[in-house]
Amino acid sequence: MNKKIINIAVIAHVDAGKSTLVDAFLSQAGVFRANEEVKEQVMDSNDQERERGITIYSKNCSIEYKDYKINIVDTPGHADFSSEVERIMKTVDTVILLVDSTEGPMPQTRFVLSKALELKLKPILLINKIDKKDQRALEVVDEVLELFMELDADEEQLEFPTLFGIAREGIVQYSIEETSKNLEPLFETIIKQVGCYPLELANEPIQLQISSLAYDSFIGRLGIGRLFKGVLKENQQIVVSKNDKTTVKAKISGLFIYQGLKRVAVKEAQAGEIVVVSGISELTIGDTICDPENIDPLPPIIIEQPTMSMNFLVNTSPFAGKVGKFLTTRNIKERLEKELEVNVGLRVEPLSNSSADGFKVLGRGELHLSVLIETMRREGFEIGISRPEVIFKVDEKGNKLEPVEKVIIDVPTEFAGTVINKLNLRKGIMLDMHSDGVRDKVVYKVPTRGLIGFKTEFINDTRGEGVFVKSIIGYEDYKGKIDGRQNGVLISMANGVTLPYALNNLEERGILFVGPQVNVYDGMIIGLHSRNNDLNVNPTTGKKLTNTRASGSDDSVKLTPPKTFTLEEAIEFIEWDELVEVTPNDIRLRKKWLSENERKQHRNDPH
């Protein structure tokens, strides 16, 4: 008790080095044993986080420095997971804004910084990766200052301290010229900038707002949040003030705090601490835990609304149920309800005016929703996924509005013309362009609709050398029709196994998505047609056997390796009348209506 507590969050754009900086914090604070083997990005513990190399969920840890306890929150840098950032901002005293010394402030930097400034936090700027050959750290400081002014920072916030560092080596220094061996300048700046949480607030009635939820298979649902006032005790009787202003009586059965990377059970916790509570079944994000004698709820946590939706449908393909364990509408409904408890950026609605069994799932972007789909797939679900659709709004005058994103691309000059042309076709408007003769940096404003399917094309057009980042900037007037995929698809018209002879003949028709000895069904998409119409083909046809033999007629068939899709690429590829069939083992593309007659009936029906 009576500890000096400071809570900080590390915020930045993707790949600026947030998780690496947290690694350095933990290492230099002595959290790891001398002989302990430590993974890089130790906070990115989720399988998908490690595979994708990004942070998806915000996480907590703590370190001790001198007589201070510093709670650290590692946050996602991708725009699709900004709801994770929004809700934890209230729990911290300051934020370390990490900016790459070469890239400067990126779209997501603007978003996370605006949330911090709205809550009157005083950020600390850390220019990272100053060991890069093309670093321009001092220019970047000026760019960040301009960003602060654009976001209406007050005079106190504009006096932000600036530090320079190499997170990978655990070094932070006060200036470019100075040298340092550790993070001490950053620790000292945090203490000077914030000071500890007011100790006198421990004498007031308890007030704890839930900013995150978790689940433990032994103790049930966990609520995570900052204790703003009072001293919270294990087995204490409390009142939960819900977001809808109703109240529920409950008891704290378990109380935990963070020590290093571990969650540790304690008998009591003081004001300022980030705590984890168990024993309250009906707990949601934004709820305030209060003293029964003094119910004083905090304002609810407001999360930005979803911008994109997909339909999660029961898998109706002929292969349904061969691999997965969870197939029914009830299974999908229960899983989505469980996800809603912890994923605040998500919404689920029943499908209206549809004969299909499933749900409309609304999220913050393709990646936000595809992470959920991938998680469900690994858990044993089989589902059909529809093409992503943006969520439109209507203003007071009845005008149709759609989400618009700021896009920054950095490409070799030789590819810039192709990329610019494609963004123009997708109703993009160029805002800025710089070139150094080798690479071009282009800033665009593009409707979210126009960016569906663009990333895969961008990677192909720039041969993997381009950098593409985007972030939602708001809603604007509807931009009109945007053309989708230019090519049709090759559709299997037979059930069976693909044969090399048939595939060899089909190669001249387009690009194949399946190899030989693959099970296919009527209505399954097996390739991209070289023309703009769909073509029904039979990939199961074998060579007719005769008694005639001729030199060269029985040579082995040499096939081009088929194009395979990741989940995100498959979702981007499909059109309105197509689905992605997701199972634990396979990702297949198919037509929504499997038989040719049904497809003809619905040919002109975009819904």
Side-chain angles (χ1 to χ4, degrees):
M1 293 299 293
N2 296 326
K3 268 189 179 178
K4 294 179 179 177
I5 295 172
I6 299 174
N7 294 351
I8 64 169
V10 186
I11 61 173
H13 189 81
V14 180
D15 285 340
K18 294 180 305 301
S19 298
T20 307
L21 179 64
V22 175
D23 285 355
F25 270 126
L26 294 165
S27 178
Q28 295 188 24
V31 169
F32 306 116
R33 299 189 312 275
N35 63 344
E36 188 173 350
E37 187 180 333
V38 182
K39 294 179 182 175
E40 288 187 2
Q41 282 86 44
V42 68
M43 294 287 278
D44 290 344
S45 52
N46 179 278
D47 287 344
Q48 287 197 62
E49 290 181 319
R50 290 210 160 275
E51 288 166 21
R52 295 169 185 266
I54 58 172
T55 303
I56 296 173
Y57 307 104
S58 61
K59 292 174 220 65
N60 304 68
C61 63
S62 78
I63 58 170
E64 304 274 342
Y65 177 74
K66 294 183 177 177
D67 55 346
Y68 287 85
K69 180 184 180 184
I70 302 176
N71 286 311
I72 304 166
V73 187
D74 183 20
T75 64
H78 199 286
D80 283 23
F81 307 107
S82 49
S83 59
E84 292 279 326
V85 181
E86 288 173 86
R87 66 184 186 209
I88 59 92
M89 284 293 185
K90 277 190 170 183
T91 69
V92 298
D93 302 304
T94 189
V95 292
I96 298 170
L97 178 66
L98 212 59
V99 180
D100 188 294
S101 65
T102 304
E103 293 177 343
M106 300 295 269
Q108 182 66 357
T109 314
R110 168 184 284 271
F111 177 84
V112 291
L113 179 60
S114 68
K115 294 296 171 189
L117 296 177
E118 281 171 21
L119 291 168
K120 300 302 177 188
L121 296 175
K122 294 185 288 181
I124 296 167
L125 174 63
L126 174 55
I127 306 297
N128 192 23
K129 305 183 184 180
I130 58 169
D131 56 335
K132 279 187 173 181
K133 287 181 182 175
D134 55 349
Q135 66 89 6
R136 49 186 194 91
L138 298 177
E139 283 179 52
V140 169
V141 173
D142 292 337
E143 289 174 12
V144 175
L145 180 59
E146 285 176 23
L147 181 58
F148 269 75
M149 292 162 72
E150 280 177 38
L151 295 173
D152 296 326
D154 60 36
E155 286 186 23
E156 205 174 357
Q157 289 170 328
L158 286 170
E159 295 295 320
F160 56 86
T162 302
L163 299 168
F164 303 86
I166 309 166
R168 189 160 37 89
E169 296 177 16
I171 294 170
V172 171
Q173 50 205 46
Y174 289 109
S175 68
I176 286 277
E177 297 79 24
E178 267 185 49
T179 56
S180 168
K181 294 180 181 177
N182 53 32
L183 297 177
E184 194 168 317
L186 180 54
F187 289 134
E188 293 295 334
T189 304
I190 290 168
I191 292 168
K192 184 179 174 185
Q193 177 82 342
V194 186
C196 72
Y197 195 76
L199 296 175
E200 62 273 13
L201 290 175
N203 301 322
E204 298 194 20
I206 59 167
Q207 190 182 50
L208 161 66
Q209 187 165 42
I210 301 301
S211 59
S212 190
L213 293 171
Y215 187 82
D216 186 290
S217 53
F218 293 105
I219 53 180
R221 185 181 293 194
L222 304 173
I224 306 165
R226 181 172 214 175
L227 182 59
F228 287 94
K229 295 177 184 175
V231 174
L232 191 63
K233 298 181 180 179
E234 189 182 32
N235 296 322
Q236 185 172 349
Q237 297 292 332
I238 51 94
V239 166
V240 181
S241 178
K242 310 288 287 177
N243 288 324
D244 59 5
K245 299 189 178 172
T246 59
T247 57
V248 179
K249 289 183 178 179
K251 186 176 92 167
I252 304 289
S253 63
L255 180 61
F256 308 84
I257 61 170
Y258 290 96
Q259 284 183 6
L261 290 166
K262 296 185 178 74
R263 197 173 66 212
V264 180
V266 291
K267 296 294 180 186
E268 56 182 46
Q270 73 181 72
E273 187 69 86
I274 292 179
V275 300
V276 184
V277 295
S278 66
I280 309 167
S281 56
E282 296 300 318
L283 201 58
T284 54
I285 286 162
D287 290 353
T288 307
I289 292 174
C290 307
D291 191 296
E293 303 300 318
N294 193 312
I295 300 171
D296 181 18
L298 287 161
I301 296 171
I302 296 166
I303 302 295
E304 297 275 339
Q305 292 300 304
T307 57
M308 189 170 283
S309 71
M310 293 180 198
N311 293 342
F312 285 36
L313 307 169
V314 171
N315 186 14
T316 56
S317 93
F319 296 164
K322 289 193 175 182
V323 181
K325 294 183 289 183
F326 306 111
L327 314 167
T328 65
T329 314
R330 182 177 61 82
N331 293 145
I332 297 171
K333 182 172 186 282
E334 286 173 357
R335 179 61 182 83
L336 292 175
E337 285 174 348
K338 181 183 169 188
E339 186 68 21
L340 284 172
E341 293 178 359
V342 293
N343 194 337
V344 290
L346 204 70
R347 283 216 320 265
V348 176
E349 298 174 358
L351 280 178
S352 57
N353 304 323
S354 173
S355 57
D357 290 329
F359 301 90
K360 186 176 186 178
V361 182
L362 301 85
R364 294 295 292 269
E366 289 167 76
L367 185 60
H368 183 203
L369 293 170
S370 67
V371 165
L372 170 59
I373 297 164
E374 181 64 32
T375 304
M376 291 175 67
R377 174 189 173 201
R378 294 180 186 198
E379 291 171 0
F381 280 84
E382 285 192 14
I383 41 179
I385 304 296
S386 74
R387 176 178 169 80
E389 293 181 1
V390 300
I391 299 166
F392 298 105
K393 289 183 179 178
V394 178
D395 64 12
E396 311 85 58
K397 298 176 183 175
N399 297 320
K400 188 178 182 180
L401 306 177
E402 67 174 318
V404 176
E405 307 198 25
K406 184 178 184 181
V407 174
I408 296 178
I409 58 169
D410 188 324
V411 293
T413 302
E414 62 191 287
F415 305 128
T418 305
V419 174
I420 287 169
N421 184 46
K422 288 200 171 177
L423 286 173
N424 289 340
L425 290 173
R426 292 164 181 265
K427 306 289 184 184
I429 299 171
M430 187 187 288
L431 302 177
D432 196 10
M433 181 172 178
H434 298 288
S435 177
D436 60 7
V438 180
R439 293 184 73 87
D440 291 1
K441 185 176 180 180
V442 188
V443 183
Y444 257 83
K445 184 170 70 174
V446 190
T448 300
R449 274 185 308 138
L451 293 174
I452 296 172
F454 176 70
K455 191 172 181 181
T456 306
E457 282 187 37
F458 176 80
I459 291 168
N460 293 334
D461 291 340
T462 61
R463 297 178 190 167
E465 294 183 46
V467 178
F468 166 81
V469 290
K470 62 191 179 88
S471 183
I472 291 276
I473 54 175
Y475 275 76
E476 293 186 4
D477 288 336
Y478 180 67
K479 307 294 181 186
K481 186 174 182 285
I482 297 175
D483 291 329
R485 192 179 66 215
Q486 301 301 309
N487 295 63
V489 288
L490 303 176
I491 308 164
S492 172
M493 57 193 289
N495 299 317
V497 179
T498 57
L499 296 174
Y501 177 78
L503 296 179
N504 187 46
N505 292 329
L506 291 175
E507 278 197 336
E508 62 191 46
R509 299 282 190 174
I511 299 166
L512 295 180
F513 301 159
V514 294
Q517 299 303 308
V518 174
N519 289 310
V520 295
Y521 53 81
D522 183 12
M524 180 172 157
I525 296 170
I526 63 158
L528 181 68
H529 193 196
S530 55
R531 302 189 178 183
N532 62 3
N533 63 303
D534 292 346
L535 186 67
N536 295 304
V537 297
N538 187 350
T540 66
T541 308
K543 185 179 180 182
K544 295 284 187 292
L545 298 178
T546 67
N547 288 327
T548 309
R549 292 288 179 270
S551 175
S553 65
D554 295 322
D555 287 351
S556 61
V557 172
K558 291 184 174 66
L559 295 172
T560 306
K563 175 178 173 56
T564 56
F565 286 92
T566 64
L567 178 59
E568 283 87 1
E569 287 169 347
I571 290 168
E572 286 183 343
F573 177 82
I574 58 174
E575 286 295 333
W576 65 269
D577 64 338
E578 296 163 0
L579 297 174
V580 179
E581 180 189 348
V582 179
T583 75
N585 293 354
D586 302 289
I587 295 170
R588 300 186 190 93
L589 305 179
R590 53 163 285 191
K591 284 292 182 179
K592 194 178 288 186
W593 297 280
L594 293 178
S595 77
E596 189 177 355
N597 285 337
E598 281 184 305
R599 291 199 292 274
K600 284 178 181 175
Q601 289 172 19
H602 295 92
R603 184 173 290 161
N604 299 314
D605 172 22
H607 302 290

